[in-house]
Amino acid sequence: MTSSTDPSASSGARPSLWRHRNFRRYLTGQAASVTGSSISSMVIPVLAVLELDATTAEVAWLTFLGQLPPALLALHAGALADRHSKRRQMITGDLVSAAALASVPVGAALDRLSLTQLMVVAAVQGAAGVLHDAAAISLLPSLVDRSLLQRSNSRVGSLFAVAATAGSNLGAALTALLGPARALLGDVLSYLVSAWCTARIQAPESARPAAEGRRLHTEIGDGLRYVNGDHRLRTLTLVNATTSFALALLNTLWALYLLRSLAMGATAFGVVLGIGALGAAAGALAAPSLAARYGPGPMMLAALAITPLTQIPLLLASPGLSWQFAIGGALFLQLAYAAAAGTTQRTIRQVVTADGMQARMQAVSTWLTSGARPVAALLAGGLGTWIGVRPTLVAGACLLLVPLVVLYRSPLRSLLDMPSSPAVPSPSAEAVTPPTPSGPIAPHPAVAVDVRHDRSLEGGP
């Protein structure tokens, strides 16, 4: 992270992540993309509901098509990321996403924008995002050492939460100044910044020799068996999937409920999202100290127990400024606890996974969590039409008890210390170790982090 001439190295202090050039470039690019994605998360519902007058079913279909590609492509994208250049795969995903989003303001300028176009854009952007994220989660191991992993996860989570806050507020401002369609140009720019920063990362990459002559589906099967064979990975993956299903049921109708049923304006909607993102930043920063004080297992269990309770203000709310503050405060708490739990469970999964399996391990989690989301989106649309939006949100809040039960029935509930790393790391993965005064930074095995768009345990409105 620092050079051999860094004073912190010679004094024995912990190395600074911020002095590591490749880590900074990685983090800057991904933070820019998260900022842009938060703009889209705020703008697209406004565009669909207020500008294109989307129905409950159409909002559900829009969400479904955006979430379907990860369910279909995650396993393949993870295997490809373990085989080929991760940076090239990330850049390709960024450029495709930028081109797809740019078509929305163009369509609006030509007065040809429709819900059908929004749905196609959502599907294309989802597919490109899967390619990017599968590579991004396994690129970081070549940048940070295992000894810096928990600190790295904490910094990544907190900075991304701040970026999400900035994106939500920027989305609200751009919508007010330019209109919702042109506001998406902010996300287009963010993808270009992400691609540029990724291209400047100088970490060495090489194809994995074990991949030569093997079919892709064979390596996908290896990843599935690897996750199923470790009770820690299996439990945390199931917790992620059940949490993702419940949150997707809530998220599908959340924006519609606030904007239509509670008559919340676009600006207030963006501010509420920003408040929630600040909670995520606080939770991510506090995660290492909370895990050290209470133990990773009890801390994650407490976070999962509190999350359903934070839905109560949303379910009781009626139109009015006081309820907007209450919803914002509840979202702050929800994302704070969720980010603390999410940072901790990511670290556990990364630490116990061998280097050559990092992308495929995460791809299995992404596949299950992403597969749950489109099903939940369709279910939300059906229930919202049949029994109403508010009762559907109640059902989603009740489903948040399922991951709590899954973790409670697992030995992980009493985990008081971080588990140890795999005994035999893969020699093909390289990372930067903490520096020593006597020489330059040396390569060392490390692990991956799941970042950017997958926020299944980091909450979400």
Side-chain angles (χ1 to χ4, degrees):
M1 310 305 158
T2 58
S3 67
S4 59
T5 59
D6 179 25
S8 66
S10 59
S11 63
R14 292 192 304 175
S16 170
L17 288 167
W18 307 118
R19 298 194 182 201
H20 180 11
R21 182 173 55 191
N22 284 330
F23 178 77
R24 290 200 313 269
R25 290 170 176 171
Y26 172 89
L27 199 58
T28 300
Q30 301 312 296
S33 187
V34 169
T35 301
S37 296
S38 296
I39 294 176
S40 291
S41 296
M42 182 268 158
V43 170
I44 288 180
V46 173
L47 186 61
V49 174
L50 301 184
E51 296 289 327
L52 300 176
D53 199 26
T55 65
T56 300
E58 287 170 335
V59 170
W61 273 105
L62 180 63
T63 304
F64 170 79
L65 290 173
Q67 295 174 347
L68 184 60
L72 298 177
L73 303 175
L75 293 176
H76 298 80
L80 288 173
D82 271 340
R83 277 190 174 193
H84 305 298
S85 169
K86 298 174 178 61
R87 289 186 296 130
R88 187 178 298 116
Q89 188 166 318
M90 291 168 64
I91 293 169
T92 300
D94 280 334
L95 295 180
V96 171
S97 292
L101 272 178
S103 71
V104 175
V106 171
L110 298 175
D111 200 24
R112 300 288 298 272
L113 183 63
S114 66
L115 275 170
T116 300
Q117 180 181 345
L118 275 188
M119 291 178 181
V120 172
V121 168
V124 172
Q125 188 181 11
V130 172
L131 289 175
H132 178 285
D133 295 347
I137 60 179
S138 52
L139 179 64
L140 191 58
S142 64
L143 306 181
V144 297
D145 179 69
R146 289 182 190 272
S147 65
L148 301 174
L149 182 57
Q150 194 169 18
R151 286 171 55 202
S152 178
N153 275 332
S154 176
R155 302 302 188 273
V156 166
S158 60
L159 183 60
F160 284 8
V162 171
T165 303
S168 297
N169 292 320
L170 181 58
L174 290 175
T175 298
L177 291 173
L178 305 175
R182 286 193 291 271
L184 290 175
L185 291 173
D187 197 6
V188 173
L189 178 62
S190 77
Y191 279 114
L192 298 178
V193 171
S194 176
W196 180 72
C197 290
T198 302
R200 298 184 68 227
I201 294 174
Q202 297 175 354
E205 290 188 85
S206 59
R208 187 163 44 88
E212 295 179 1
R214 302 189 71 196
R215 292 180 178 272
L216 198 63
H217 70 78
T218 301
E219 300 209 336
I220 291 173
D222 291 344
L224 289 168
R225 286 187 292 272
Y226 186 87
V227 171
N228 187 59
D230 189 302
H231 77 90
R232 298 161 298 184
L233 295 176
R234 185 172 63 246
T235 297
L236 292 176
T237 299
L238 186 56
V239 167
N240 285 354
T242 52
T243 303
S244 179
F245 185 89
L247 288 177
L249 195 67
L250 290 165
N251 292 352
T252 299
L253 301 179
W254 193 80
L256 179 71
Y257 180 66
L258 293 185
L259 293 169
R260 186 166 292 169
S261 300
L262 299 184
M264 185 178 291
T267 300
F269 181 63
V271 170
V272 167
L273 290 178
I275 291 173
L278 287 177
L285 284 175
S289 59
L290 289 174
R293 181 171 182 177
Y294 301 107
M299 188 268 280
M300 290 189 296
L301 196 66
L304 289 174
I306 290 170
T307 299
L309 301 178
T310 62
Q311 308 303 314
I312 293 176
L314 175 69
L315 302 176
L316 298 178
S318 57
L321 184 61
S322 60
W323 280 112
Q324 292 177 7
F325 279 114
I327 292 171
L331 187 61
F332 179 95
L333 292 176
Q334 175 192 340
L335 296 193
Y337 288 114
T343 297
T344 302
Q345 64 88 11
R346 280 195 306 274
T347 301
I348 293 172
R349 288 191 291 125
Q350 294 157 7
V351 166
V352 302
T353 300
D355 296 305
M357 298 297 298
Q358 285 289 337
R360 281 171 287 172
M361 175 276 292
Q362 179 57 36
V364 173
S365 178
T366 301
W367 174 58
L368 289 175
T369 56
S370 300
R373 291 171 190 160
V375 175
L378 289 181
L379 180 61
L383 289 176
T385 302
W386 180 38
I387 64 176
V389 174
R390 194 189 295 257
T392 303
L393 294 176
V394 173
C398 292
L399 284 174
L400 285 172
L401 295 172
V402 175
L404 172 64
V405 173
V406 171
L407 186 61
Y408 181 78
R409 293 173 60 87
S410 164
L412 285 177
R413 69 177 182 179
S414 57
L415 182 66
L416 298 180
D417 297 293
M418 283 293 174
S420 58
S421 303
V424 183
S426 168
S428 61
E430 293 183 336
V432 177
T433 60
T436 61
S438 59
I441 297 174
H444 189 278
V447 288
V449 61
D450 50 336
V451 296
R452 264 173 56 100
H453 306 302
D454 184 9
R455 301 185 180 96
S456 60
L457 266 189
E458 294 181 12

